[in-house]
Structure formats: structure tokens, C-alpha cells
Amino acid sequence: MYNRTQNENGTYNTRCLHCFMTIASSVETEKELAILEVRHYCPERALAELLEQEKVIETRAAHN
């Protein structure tokens, strides 16, 4: 999830809503924003996904 804002000069900024890192600033097109967002590796989201996987594994192990 990203928060996009448009600057007064027509360019865009985008920020990751998981880690609050600014992914891009002063980007001229929404297409460029999409490319930069796809390339973003969010450490907060990755950690959350790993913890969720661990819970699933532990739950399965408890039921066996």
C-alpha cells in the first residue's frame, strides 16, 4: 500500500504505508511511480509476512 501525493509543479511523491519510507519524490508520471513501487522492498511488510508464516507452521504442528 502506498500513499501518493501530487506536488504543486505536477510531479508526484509516493510513500510506503507499512514502513513509511518515501519511495519516490518529484516523479513526473504515475507509470514511473508504479514501477518504483513494485521495486520497493519493505522490511516491515517482509517481517510481518514471516511472522504470519511462523504462526501457521506452529498451528499446524500443534494439531499433529
Side-chain angles (χ1 to χ4, degrees), residues 24-44:
S25 59
S26 299
V27 175
E28 294 190 10
T29 67
E30 290 190 40
K31 184 177 180 179
E32 288 177 273
L33 281 178
I35 291 168
L36 293 167
E37 290 170 349
V38 167
R39 291 180 181 166
H40 172 61
Y41 176 77
C42 179
E44 298 294 328

Side-chain angles (χ1 to χ4, degrees), residues 1-21:
M1 283 172 68
Y2 299 94
N3 177 26
R4 293 180 176 181
T5 57
Q6 189 169 20
N7 301 315
E8 290 179 11
N9 65 359
T11 62
Y12 298 91
N13 301 331
T14 185
R15 179 179 294 188
C16 176
L17 294 177
H18 293 283
C19 67
F20 301 108
M21 181 183 294

